[in-house]
Amino acid sequence: MTDTLPDRLSADPSSPYYNEELLNRGVGIRFKGVEKDNILEYCISEQWVKVTVGNTTKRDGTPMTMKLNGPVEAYVKEKTDEEK
């Protein structure tokens, strides 16, 4: 499998952009040059990310999100010797 990531990817299983295989490999996101670990969804071409807002949830139990605009870089995380 190549290290090419899709233009849009979501960590929400109910989303049509969800890809469990890619998420299990480890996807890293840099938003405005800063490494983020609370990204639920991203779109590289439209330059936005959806991030979780603390521990708040909606009535249905899903995390509350906020859409932020800016440059997005996605990459496959390198596995260390301990993870292999």
Side-chain angles (χ1 to χ4, degrees), residues 28-40:
I29 303 293
R30 271 188 219 94
F31 179 67
K32 294 185 178 180
V34 178
E35 182 74 24
K36 296 285 187 179
D37 61 355
N38 62 342
I39 304 289
L40 280 181

Side-chain angles (χ1 to χ4, degrees), residues 3-30:
D3 288 345
T4 305
L5 293 173
D7 177 55
R8 190 167 176 179
L9 184 64
S10 176
D12 180 10
S14 64
S15 171
Y17 301 104
Y18 178 75
N19 185 332
E20 185 175 5
E21 182 181 334
L22 275 176
L23 294 172
N24 286 337
R25 289 184 60 206
V27 177
I29 303 293
R30 271 188 219 94

Side-chain angles (χ1 to χ4, degrees), residues 37-40 49-58 62-68:
D37 61 355
N38 62 342
I39 304 289
L40 280 181
V49 295
K50 286 186 181 176
V51 297
T52 58
V53 181
N55 292 330
T56 58
T57 57
K58 299 179 201 173
T62 59
M64 189 161 303
T65 61
M66 184 170 49
K67 189 174 179 180
L68 303 172

